[in-house]
Amino acid sequence: YLGPLLSQIVVTLSSFVEVCPEAVTDVFEYLIIKNGATLGSFFNDIYSIPDVPVLASVNAALREHLKQTENPTLMQMLMHALKGVCHERGEVRLHALKYLNKLMESNIPQMQKYTVGSETVDPVITEIITSVFKTLRGSTGELREEYGKCIGILGAIDPGRLYLPVNSSKPVKHFEVNSDFAKPLLNELARAYLAGKTTQSQDCCSFAIQEVLKNFDCANTDPQSVGRKIWLTLTGDTQEILLPHFSSCYSASNISMERYSGPIFNP
């Protein structure tokens, strides 16, 4: 059961090496050295372990194990790093990004070949760019710096040369908010409301919640009504968050742009 969580465990414990080195070393030795045979198949998910004296034996055991496995190609290593870049945990993404940047910096000639070797860039470059921009939103501090470094290493790439396959077999449908979509929408809005760090973001969520509840008439007490059925599918905790919005009076701000004779911002 520890295998799939190994990368998260390593990343979390790495931040405590300076505070309690002995305890962290004991855990790493248990996972990497004593249980290497059992957990070895998950060692590839470990992007880095702090290179400090107390963990010398752990790093040596990890390197020895990786040497015994097949030598992966650069493309395989890049795709493996992207798996960590798309991880839900920010700490894992940070370690994976550092590993990805180090990998690209040490293989500049091959990376340039992937970028300018043909009319369109290699699909792995497109994967890197899409993965970075997909997970960049909301990042701050060191994580954001590593994202910037990654984009900087790749350099300027013409978007028209990116490999972006389009699946045209599926017909285009108009988006419609129906009752099946209402439950996950309300759950997501409730989560966003609680996670809001500013009053403005919470006000936006509140307005959206108010309008969705109103649109589906969730205040209706008739057990056969669509709104009541949607309301009863929500958990008690979610209902508690949404309940005050039945009587809220949020309204959208309508700012007329006609009064602006020119650009709002002049450099």
Side-chain angles (χ1 to χ4, degrees):
Y1 297 104
L2 286 176
L5 300 174
L6 191 59
S7 62
Q8 298 182 46
I9 294 171
V10 170
V11 168
T12 303
L13 291 179
S14 294
S15 59
F16 294 98
V17 172
E18 294 183 2
V19 182
C20 42
E22 293 183 0
V24 172
T25 301
D26 288 342
V27 177
F28 277 161
E29 287 180 348
Y30 174 79
L31 295 172
I32 308 298
I33 299 176
K34 296 180 181 177
N35 288 280
T38 305
L39 300 175
S41 59
F42 297 95
F43 284 177
N44 286 329
D45 293 335
I46 300 175
Y47 298 101
S48 65
I49 288 179
D51 190 11
V52 292
V54 291
L55 295 176
S57 59
V58 175
N59 274 306
L62 183 61
R63 283 194 296 269
E64 184 62 29
H65 174 83
L66 294 177
K67 281 181 182 178
Q68 295 174 3
T69 59
E70 295 183 7
N71 292 327
T73 63
L74 174 59
M75 190 172 294
Q76 289 173 331
M77 289 190 287
L78 290 171
M79 295 304 293
H80 171 65
L82 290 179
K83 179 182 175 184
V85 171
C86 296
H87 198 277
E88 59 184 9
R89 290 284 300 276
E91 299 94 332
V92 178
R93 291 205 305 271
L94 178 60
H95 278 246
L97 268 171
K98 287 182 176 179
Y99 172 76
L100 175 64
N101 291 341
K102 185 177 179 181
L103 194 61
M104 291 195 297
E105 283 182 324
S106 59
N107 292 276
I108 291 295
Q110 185 61 42
M111 294 303 299
Q112 290 177 340
K113 186 177 178 182
Y114 287 153
T115 305
V116 298
S118 60
E119 287 189 16
T120 58
V121 300
D122 193 281
V124 72
I125 299 297
T126 302
E127 283 293 329
I128 294 173
I129 293 174
T130 53
S131 297
V132 164
F133 281 99
K134 186 189 300 181
T135 55
L136 173 62
R137 181 178 296 176
S139 63
T140 57
E142 188 179 6
L143 182 58
R144 195 174 186 86
E145 289 178 10
E146 290 297 326
Y147 276 121
K149 186 176 180 181
C150 178
I151 296 170
I153 294 171
L154 290 173
I157 299 175
D158 183 356
R161 297 182 62 247
L162 293 176
Y163 179 79
L164 296 170
V166 179
N167 185 359
S168 59
S169 61
K170 295 182 179 180
V172 177
K173 296 181 179 179
H174 292 289
F175 184 80
E176 181 183 353
V177 180
N178 54 33
S179 58
D180 293 331
F181 184 68
K183 179 186 175 182
L185 176 59
L186 287 170
N187 281 324
E188 187 62 24
L189 286 172
R191 185 201 62 78
Y193 175 80
L194 292 179
K197 295 181 180 180
T198 63
T199 54
Q200 184 180 9
S201 63
Q202 287 192 320
D203 285 346
C204 290
C205 288
S206 293
F207 176 67
I209 292 170
Q210 168 190 285
E211 294 304 299
V212 173
L213 293 175
K214 186 188 299 181
N215 183 69
F216 288 100
D217 193 22
C218 291
N220 195 327
T221 56
D222 181 1
Q224 299 302 317
S225 67
V226 174
R228 189 61 180 174
K229 289 178 180 178
I230 292 172
W231 180 256
L232 293 176
T233 62
L234 302 172
T235 64
D237 292 338
T238 303
Q239 288 179 356
E240 262 188 62
I241 299 167
L242 303 181
L243 194 59
H245 297 85
F246 281 128
S247 55
S248 60
C249 299
Y250 289 94
S251 60
S253 299
N254 295 317
I255 302 176
S256 174
M257 300 298 290
E258 295 179 0
R259 68 173 182 265
Y260 296 109
S261 58
I264 297 174
F265 171 75
N266 285 315

